Amino acid sequence: MYSPPTTSTDEQRALTAQSAAADALGITVTGPRQWGYQGRTLGQQAHHPQHGACWLRLISAPASQANGKLWDGTAEAAAAFPTVHKPALHAVHDLRYGGLVFRAELSEFVASPTCSPEPILRAELDLAPAWWTSLRTDLDTIAATRTTRVAVRQEWISRAVPQHARVPAPDIANWATAHGDFHFANITAEPVILDWEGFGAAPLGYDAAMLYAYSLLAPATAATIRRELPILNTPAGNTALLVVAADLLQSCSRGDHPELSDPLRALVASLT
């Protein structure tokens, strides 16, 4: 979905750090490389003598920024959600190279494909009732887990909803823990939920609302989401949908997924 860093120097630095991390963790990397947004992360399948097939994810940051929510999210999620279906975290290794700090996360390899190759769902899905039961259970567990982490702040909501959704901002009365980046590219066919670095407190129903908003181009699946995740059909769910719509409309204003702009504005109109 994304591409390597914009300079060959940055790309080579990441590859050198990955090689050093692989040696430290006792693994062999295999298969194609998967770069994250603007080359800030690098993922690749790996083999460990004890754990077998694994996934090695490398993130980087200047030393002054190598902390906080996104940096520690995967490790904190491993401790916070032991019963939720997600890849097991085997090891974390930090190293410094070329003026940056790198964190290597070695996790269980999940062979099950994601339900979508990108966050926007463009093709209808036919998911079994048991799939939805598992997802609901996991979402309920996530929401009920106490955390000091924050995924969405009231200050941002108060600013972004009027600016991008063009309606008054709600004051959030009901907060719950959310995965924070909940779309079908982060959920597999089993289902297993991937990419936990951004979890934290958000408006109640935020994950369900994000899954729905990213699925507006597949209306049959979007209708199924509303049926299977009933939080969306409550006042709290409507508020979460409004917040997510503002979030994605902000992304549209920056040139990301412009095809969602009209459906998102129609969603806002239906809510207000």
Side-chain angles (χ1 to χ4, degrees), residues 22-100:
D23 289 342
L25 293 168
I27 59 173
T28 303
V29 293
T30 61
R33 299 174 185 138
Q34 293 190 13
W35 295 95
Y37 181 68
Q38 295 183 348
R40 293 173 183 169
T41 64
L42 171 59
Q44 195 166 6
Q45 190 173 343
H47 179 81
H48 186 275
Q50 178 182 353
H51 301 301
C54 296
W55 185 257
L56 179 65
R57 179 177 181 267
L58 192 75
I59 57 177
S60 63
S64 61
Q65 300 174 23
N67 54 61
K69 185 183 77 170
L70 296 178
W71 190 259
D72 297 320
T74 301
E76 292 184 358
F81 308 108
T83 64
V84 171
H85 295 88
K86 65 185 190 311
L89 180 64
H90 297 312
V92 173
H93 177 73
D94 292 341
L95 66 156
R96 291 174 179 262
Y97 180 77
L100 295 177

Side-chain angles (χ1 to χ4, degrees), residues 111-266:
S112 175
T114 57
C115 293
S116 172
E118 60 176 319
I120 298 175
L121 185 66
R122 301 181 185 276
E124 302 287 1
L125 297 174
D126 184 14
L127 300 166
W131 191 96
W132 288 105
T133 298
S134 176
L135 196 73
R136 279 195 303 272
T137 299
D138 282 346
L139 284 176
D140 289 346
T141 300
I142 294 166
T145 301
R146 299 186 65 178
T147 184
T148 59
R149 292 167 55 92
V150 177
V152 183
R153 297 184 182 277
Q154 178 66 59
E155 293 83 358
W156 177 87
I157 293 171
S158 298
R159 181 179 67 253
V161 170
Q163 181 178 356
H164 298 288
R166 303 171 188 168
V167 297
D171 289 324
I172 306 302
N174 298 302
W175 297 84
T177 301
H179 173 277
D181 194 20
F182 204 70
H183 47 69
F184 280 116
N186 278 340
I187 312 171
T188 77
E190 289 187 3
V192 173
I193 303 171
L194 310 176
D195 291 350
W196 286 85
E197 61 269 21
F199 85 90
L204 179 65
Y206 185 82
D207 284 339
M210 180 167 285
L211 188 67
Y212 178 80
Y214 267 125
S215 302
L216 289 173
L217 299 186
T221 302
T224 300
I225 294 169
R226 294 204 79 139
R227 183 176 69 249
E228 296 289 347
L229 304 180
I231 183 65
L232 293 176
N233 303 310
T234 68
N238 287 342
T239 298
L241 285 165
L242 183 61
V243 172
V244 167
D247 187 5
L248 298 189
L249 284 167
Q250 181 180 54
S251 295
C252 292
S253 72
R254 296 168 176 166
D256 297 329
H257 47 68
E259 64 273 41
L260 273 184
S261 179
D262 287 344
L264 286 168
R265 296 213 174 276

